[in-house]
Amino acid sequence: MFGTLGIVGATGAVGRIMIQLLEERNLAKNYRFLASARSAGSTLVFKGKDYKVELLEPKAFAGIDLVIASTPDDVAAEHATGRF
C-alpha cells in the first residue's frame, strides 16, 4: 500500500472514472486530487470523505508517493518532465 496517491486531472471525465475505480480498491493511506486552476478549490467526495481539489503546480507533488494522471499532452509535458 502506498502512503499518498495523487490523482492528476481528477475533475475531468477520465479522472472521474479513475476515482470510481480507485474507490473499489485500497491502494493508499492518503489521497490528493490535483486539477487545473478552473477546478482547484472545488470539493469532491471520495470513499465518503470530502477532499479539496488542489491546484496542479510543481509544489503540489511534494509528499506524493505515486501519481496517476489523465491530462492533455501539453499539461503532462509541463508538469511531468523531470519529476519521475
Side-chain angles (χ1 to χ4, degrees):
M1 182 178 289
F2 294 97
T4 302
L5 175 64
I7 296 90
V8 176
T11 59
V14 175
R16 288 191 301 268
I17 293 169
M18 289 190 306
I19 289 169
Q20 287 176 334
L21 294 171
L22 288 169
E23 282 189 306
E24 300 169 1
R25 294 158 176 81
N26 289 319
L27 294 179
K29 295 177 185 175
N30 302 298
Y31 296 86
R32 295 189 30 215
F33 301 92
L34 310 173
S36 67
R38 183 177 61 225
S39 297
S42 63
T43 302
L44 61 81
V45 178
F46 179 74
K47 294 192 176 198
K49 182 178 174 186
D50 289 344
Y51 288 85
K52 184 176 179 181
V53 177
E54 300 176 44
L55 178 62
L56 177 59
E57 59 183 340
K59 68 180 183 178
F61 293 98
I64 293 178
D65 299 305
L66 176 69
V67 173
I68 298 174
S70 173
T71 63
D73 290 344
D74 60 329
V75 175
E78 178 182 349
H79 293 284
T81 303
R83 296 201 198 302
F84 308 104

